[in-house]
mmCIF file of all heavy atoms in Angstrom:
data_model
loop_
_atom_site.group_PDB
_atom_site.id
_atom_site.type_symbol
_atom_site.label_atom_id
_atom_site.label_comp_id
_atom_site.label_asym_id
_atom_site.label_seq_id
_atom_site.Cartn_x
_atom_site.Cartn_y
_atom_site.Cartn_z
ATOM 1 N N CYS A 62 179.842 127.381 -44.691
ATOM 2 C CA CYS A 62 181.071 127.352 -45.573
ATOM 3 C C CYS A 62 181.981 128.587 -45.372
ATOM 4 O O CYS A 62 183.079 128.645 -45.937
ATOM 5 C CB CYS A 62 180.741 127.039 -47.074
ATOM 6 S SG CYS A 62 179.977 125.624 -47.304
ATOM 7 N N ILE A 63 181.427 129.574 -44.617
ATOM 8 C CA ILE A 63 182.222 130.725 -44.436
ATOM 9 C C ILE A 63 183.301 130.519 -43.395
ATOM 10 O O ILE A 63 183.059 129.969 -42.415
ATOM 11 C CB ILE A 63 181.376 132.007 -43.941
ATOM 12 C CG1 ILE A 63 180.335 132.322 -45.069
ATOM 13 C CG2 ILE A 63 182.198 133.155 -43.483
ATOM 14 C CD1 ILE A 63 179.349 133.346 -44.570
ATOM 15 N N ARG A 64 184.563 130.734 -43.743
ATOM 16 C CA ARG A 64 185.714 130.473 -42.845
ATOM 17 C C ARG A 64 186.042 131.748 -42.040
ATOM 18 O O ARG A 64 186.430 131.628 -40.916
ATOM 19 C CB ARG A 64 186.937 130.124 -43.701
ATOM 20 C CG ARG A 64 186.782 128.830 -44.508
ATOM 21 C CD ARG A 64 186.764 127.707 -43.522
ATOM 22 N NE ARG A 64 186.560 126.459 -44.279
ATOM 23 C CZ ARG A 64 185.646 125.634 -44.186
ATOM 24 N NH1 ARG A 64 184.704 125.857 -43.326
ATOM 25 N NH2 ARG A 64 185.556 124.426 -44.906
ATOM 26 N N LYS A 65 185.973 132.968 -42.649
ATOM 27 C CA LYS A 65 186.426 134.138 -41.918
ATOM 28 C C LYS A 65 185.614 135.335 -42.566
ATOM 29 O O LYS A 65 185.602 135.382 -43.807
ATOM 30 C CB LYS A 65 187.892 134.275 -41.969
ATOM 31 C CG LYS A 65 188.452 135.433 -41.319
ATOM 32 C CD LYS A 65 188.818 135.160 -39.936
ATOM 33 C CE LYS A 65 189.595 136.368 -39.329
ATOM 34 N NZ LYS A 65 189.607 136.338 -37.867
ATOM 35 N N ILE A 66 185.263 136.247 -41.719
ATOM 36 C CA ILE A 66 184.757 137.574 -42.178
ATOM 37 C C ILE A 66 185.579 138.642 -41.697
ATOM 38 O O ILE A 66 185.800 138.745 -40.435
ATOM 39 C CB ILE A 66 183.265 137.786 -41.627
ATOM 40 C CG1 ILE A 66 182.278 136.736 -42.153
ATOM 41 C CG2 ILE A 66 182.767 139.110 -42.111
ATOM 42 C CD1 ILE A 66 180.894 136.754 -41.741
ATOM 43 N N GLY A 67 186.264 139.271 -42.597
ATOM 44 C CA GLY A 67 187.203 140.342 -42.243
ATOM 45 C C GLY A 67 186.659 141.651 -42.514
ATOM 46 O O GLY A 67 185.462 141.904 -42.697
ATOM 47 N N HIS A 68 187.482 142.717 -42.475
ATOM 48 C CA HIS A 68 186.979 144.123 -42.646
ATOM 49 C C HIS A 68 186.464 144.342 -44.039
ATOM 50 O O HIS A 68 185.482 145.078 -44.187
ATOM 51 C CB HIS A 68 188.103 145.072 -42.429
ATOM 52 C CG HIS A 68 188.534 145.127 -40.930
ATOM 53 N ND1 HIS A 68 187.658 144.992 -39.924
ATOM 54 C CD2 HIS A 68 189.742 145.309 -40.403
ATOM 55 C CE1 HIS A 68 188.277 145.140 -38.762
ATOM 56 N NE2 HIS A 68 189.533 145.287 -38.970
ATOM 57 N N ASP A 69 187.050 143.736 -45.050
ATOM 58 C CA ASP A 69 186.715 144.032 -46.419
ATOM 59 C C ASP A 69 186.441 142.811 -47.283
ATOM 60 O O ASP A 69 186.176 142.820 -48.413
ATOM 61 C CB ASP A 69 187.641 144.948 -47.135
ATOM 62 C CG ASP A 69 189.094 144.369 -47.078
ATOM 63 O OD1 ASP A 69 189.394 143.477 -46.416
ATOM 64 O OD2 ASP A 69 189.971 144.985 -47.755
ATOM 65 N N ILE A 70 186.734 141.522 -46.714
ATOM 66 C CA ILE A 70 186.561 140.329 -47.458
ATOM 67 C C ILE A 70 185.865 139.238 -46.676
ATOM 68 O O ILE A 70 185.900 139.361 -45.406
ATOM 69 C CB ILE A 70 187.855 139.686 -48.067
ATOM 70 C CG1 ILE A 70 188.840 139.278 -46.976
ATOM 71 C CG2 ILE A 70 188.540 140.644 -49.002
ATOM 72 C CD1 ILE A 70 189.988 138.524 -47.388
ATOM 73 N N ILE A 71 185.256 138.329 -47.380
ATOM 74 C CA ILE A 71 184.662 137.119 -46.709
ATOM 75 C C ILE A 71 185.350 135.887 -47.352
ATOM 76 O O ILE A 71 185.329 135.739 -48.580
ATOM 77 C CB ILE A 71 183.147 137.016 -46.884
ATOM 78 C CG1 ILE A 71 182.445 138.183 -46.324
ATOM 79 C CG2 ILE A 71 182.658 135.694 -46.346
ATOM 80 C CD1 ILE A 71 181.015 138.345 -46.610
ATOM 81 N N ILE A 72 186.052 135.119 -46.607
ATOM 82 C CA ILE A 72 186.663 133.949 -47.104
ATOM 83 C C ILE A 72 185.776 132.705 -46.897
ATOM 84 O O ILE A 72 185.294 132.436 -45.855
ATOM 85 C CB ILE A 72 188.059 133.762 -46.395
ATOM 86 C CG1 ILE A 72 188.941 134.908 -46.686
ATOM 87 C CG2 ILE A 72 188.743 132.354 -46.851
ATOM 88 C CD1 ILE A 72 190.235 134.925 -45.935
ATOM 89 N N VAL A 73 185.524 132.026 -48.020
ATOM 90 C CA VAL A 73 184.663 130.817 -48.036
ATOM 91 C C VAL A 73 185.500 129.681 -48.575
ATOM 92 O O VAL A 73 186.470 129.846 -49.240
ATOM 93 C CB VAL A 73 183.419 130.993 -48.831
ATOM 94 C CG1 VAL A 73 182.558 132.105 -48.294
ATOM 95 C CG2 VAL A 73 183.738 131.220 -50.355
ATOM 96 N N ALA A 74 185.027 128.356 -48.218
ATOM 97 C CA ALA A 74 185.677 127.166 -48.769
ATOM 98 C C ALA A 74 184.582 126.336 -49.444
ATOM 99 O O ALA A 74 183.808 125.710 -48.699
ATOM 100 C CB ALA A 74 186.325 126.396 -47.664
ATOM 101 N N VAL A 75 184.396 126.534 -50.675
ATOM 102 C CA VAL A 75 183.454 125.818 -51.458
ATOM 103 C C VAL A 75 183.983 125.261 -52.832
ATOM 104 O O VAL A 75 184.961 125.839 -53.250
ATOM 105 C CB VAL A 75 182.272 126.736 -51.777
ATOM 106 C CG1 VAL A 75 181.515 127.033 -50.475
ATOM 107 C CG2 VAL A 75 182.699 127.908 -52.553
ATOM 108 N N ARG A 76 183.378 124.283 -53.312
ATOM 109 C CA ARG A 76 183.527 123.910 -54.761
ATOM 110 C C ARG A 76 182.520 124.650 -55.632
ATOM 111 O O ARG A 76 181.339 124.541 -55.341
ATOM 112 C CB ARG A 76 183.368 122.400 -54.905
ATOM 113 C CG ARG A 76 184.504 121.594 -54.329
ATOM 114 C CD ARG A 76 184.351 120.145 -54.577
ATOM 115 N NE ARG A 76 184.007 119.876 -55.996
ATOM 116 C CZ ARG A 76 183.293 118.857 -56.522
ATOM 117 N NH1 ARG A 76 182.899 117.936 -55.614
ATOM 118 N NH2 ARG A 76 183.014 118.704 -57.725
ATOM 119 N N GLU A 77 183.056 125.442 -56.563
ATOM 120 C CA GLU A 77 182.151 126.276 -57.375
ATOM 121 C C GLU A 77 181.084 125.497 -58.010
ATOM 122 O O GLU A 77 179.914 125.984 -58.079
ATOM 123 C CB GLU A 77 182.957 127.053 -58.469
ATOM 124 C CG GLU A 77 183.807 128.149 -57.852
ATOM 125 C CD GLU A 77 184.464 128.936 -58.968
ATOM 126 O OE1 GLU A 77 183.838 129.141 -59.921
ATOM 127 O OE2 GLU A 77 185.627 129.303 -58.778
ATOM 128 N N GLU A 78 181.295 124.230 -58.416
ATOM 129 C CA GLU A 78 180.258 123.455 -59.083
ATOM 130 C C GLU A 78 179.101 123.149 -58.170
ATOM 131 O O GLU A 78 177.933 123.006 -58.651
ATOM 132 C CB GLU A 78 180.825 122.201 -59.673
ATOM 133 C CG GLU A 78 182.102 122.274 -60.517
ATOM 134 C CD GLU A 78 183.439 122.344 -59.750
ATOM 135 O OE1 GLU A 78 183.542 121.651 -58.673
ATOM 136 O OE2 GLU A 78 184.196 123.239 -60.084
ATOM 137 N N ASP A 79 179.419 123.070 -56.902
ATOM 138 C CA ASP A 79 178.384 122.740 -55.859
ATOM 139 C C ASP A 79 177.474 123.919 -55.547
ATOM 140 O O ASP A 79 176.363 123.676 -55.150
ATOM 141 C CB ASP A 79 178.999 122.104 -54.618
ATOM 142 C CG ASP A 79 179.724 120.833 -54.849
ATOM 143 O OD1 ASP A 79 179.471 120.185 -55.904
ATOM 144 O OD2 ASP A 79 180.706 120.501 -54.026
ATOM 145 N N VAL A 80 178.007 125.164 -55.623
ATOM 146 C CA VAL A 80 177.147 126.350 -55.188
ATOM 147 C C VAL A 80 176.720 127.150 -56.312
ATOM 148 O O VAL A 80 176.043 128.178 -56.026
ATOM 149 C CB VAL A 80 177.988 127.122 -54.157
ATOM 150 C CG1 VAL A 80 178.251 126.278 -52.945
ATOM 151 C CG2 VAL A 80 179.300 127.648 -54.733
#
Side-chain angles (χ1 to χ4, degrees):
C62 292
I63 295 175
R64 298 290 181 238
K65 181 88 171 167
I66 298 178
H68 292 323
D69 54 353
I70 64 171
I71 298 173
I72 298 175
V73 298
V75 294
R76 288 187 41 211
E77 286 186 38
E78 308 84 42
D79 296 340
V80 296

